[in-house]
């Protein structure tokens, strides 16, 4: 039995959680408060990512799905205004990519060194994650980061937009995978969407 799927899940989960941690610290939200919800989302996403990248050669789709789910997660669970959620996710991905690229070039020399070696890839993920945890926690402790008047940036129809976004996400992914004839993969997104819908409805009731 190959250890590659297990190693992929372990290092990808550490890497993705460090991205969540970085965004929460950078925008000065309490990362501990939503850590288990983040893990609930990250684990099935990374499993799906492994299947899309390795079995179906759909790595770009996996990255796009992660961005969309993060935007919905920050809006429905962390309760960021949707405009902040989009800004935080996109900016977080850009900063994360720059950090990882810097480590890749300085330590491994080129992208091909990562693509041709799973071990190098896992090391890069671990190095990037470790840096993110240490550096951005330091930034958070020092009181640095982006702060906004949250309520002024919250739209009155935001809850409706969020519900539509979640449903559109599930339908869009389902249609894509249906036409790719990989029906079983749709099941990965059902619990994620149900989880996000639950929090969006919970948030709506709290706002009533």
């Amino acid at each position: 039995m190959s250890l590659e799927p297990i190693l992929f899940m372990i290092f990808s989960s550490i890497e993705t959680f460090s991205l969540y941690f970085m965004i929460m610290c950078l925008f000065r939200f309490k990362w501990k408060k939503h850590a288990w919800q983040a893990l609930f989302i990250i684990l099935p996403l990374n499993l799906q990512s492994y299947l899309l990248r390795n079995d179906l050669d759909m790595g770009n789709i996996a990255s796009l799905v992660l961005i969309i789910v993060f935007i919905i997660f920050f809006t429905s669970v962390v309760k960021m205004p949707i405009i902040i959620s989009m800004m935080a996710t996109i900016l977080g991905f850009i900063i994360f990519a720059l950090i990882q690229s810097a480590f890749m070039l300085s330590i491994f020399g080129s992208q091909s060194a990562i693509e041709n070696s799973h071990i190098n890839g896992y090391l890069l993920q671990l190095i990037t994650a470790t840096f993110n945890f240490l550096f951005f926690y330091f930034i958070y402790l020092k009181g640095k980061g982006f702060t906004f008047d949250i309520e002024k940036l919250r739209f009155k129809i935001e809850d409706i937009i969020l519900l539509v976004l979640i449903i559109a996400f599930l339908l869009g992914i389902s249609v894509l995978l249906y036409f790719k004839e990989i029906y079983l993969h749709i099941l990965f997104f059902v619990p994620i969407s149900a989880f996000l819908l639950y929090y969006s409805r919970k948030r709506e009731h709290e706002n009533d």
Side-chain angles (χ1 to χ4, degrees):
M1 178 180 176
S2 174
L3 290 176
E4 185 184 341
I6 297 173
L7 292 174
F8 179 93
M9 285 296 297
I10 292 172
F11 287 99
S12 293
S13 295
I14 293 171
E15 179 187 48
T16 309
F17 189 80
S18 79
L19 172 62
Y20 157 80
F21 179 85
M22 181 190 76
I23 292 172
M24 293 291 282
C25 289
L26 196 58
F27 284 82
R28 305 210 51 76
F29 285 87
K30 296 178 180 178
W31 70 270
K32 289 184 180 179
K33 184 177 180 181
H34 306 288
W36 76 265
Q37 294 99 323
L39 286 172
F40 182 89
I41 292 294
I42 287 169
L43 292 175
L45 271 179
N46 282 332
L47 179 57
Q48 183 67 26
S49 175
Y50 176 81
L51 296 173
L52 289 175
R53 292 174 190 272
N54 293 275
D55 294 349
L56 302 168
D57 195 24
M58 296 171 64
N60 291 335
I61 295 297
S63 299
L64 179 60
V65 166
L66 183 59
I67 290 173
I68 294 173
V69 170
F70 260 49
I71 290 172
I72 298 173
F73 174 84
F74 286 130
T75 306
S76 62
V77 179
V78 183
K79 300 180 182 179
M80 294 182 186
I82 196 165
I83 187 171
I84 296 296
S85 177
M86 295 174 69
M87 183 189 306
T89 301
I90 294 171
L91 182 60
F93 267 80
I94 292 172
I95 293 174
F96 187 91
L98 290 174
I99 292 171
Q100 193 162 71
S101 296
F103 281 126
M104 179 184 68
L105 294 175
S106 61
I107 298 174
F108 300 98
S110 67
Q111 186 173 344
S112 61
I114 301 300
E115 294 174 346
N116 296 329
S117 171
H118 291 304
I119 299 300
N120 286 348
Y122 298 143
L123 283 174
L124 178 61
Q125 288 177 308
L126 186 60
I127 292 168
T128 306
T130 301
F131 175 84
N132 284 345
F133 286 129
L134 295 176
F135 179 76
F136 288 99
Y137 186 61
F138 175 78
I139 291 292
Y140 184 82
L141 289 179
K142 290 294 184 180
K144 306 297 182 180
F146 300 103
T147 56
F148 302 90
D149 189 335
I150 296 294
E151 295 308 317
K152 285 186 178 180
L153 295 173
R154 198 180 296 282
F155 301 139
K156 291 183 179 179
I157 60 169
E158 192 167 282
D159 292 323
I160 297 174
I161 295 173
L162 178 59
L163 285 171
V164 171
L165 185 59
I166 294 172
I167 293 170
F169 163 74
L170 180 58
L171 290 176
I173 289 297
S174 298
V175 169
L176 173 65
L177 298 180
Y178 174 81
F179 281 110
K180 288 284 184 178
E181 297 184 354
I182 42 179
Y183 315 112
L184 185 62
H185 292 234
I186 297 172
L187 297 179
F188 284 95
F189 294 103
V190 172
I192 292 175
S193 297
F195 179 80
L196 294 172
L197 279 169
Y198 165 77
Y199 270 95
S200 67
R201 295 299 298 167
K202 182 180 178 181
R203 191 182 87 145
E204 184 178 336
H205 290 312
E206 288 174 351
N207 291 338
D208 290 340

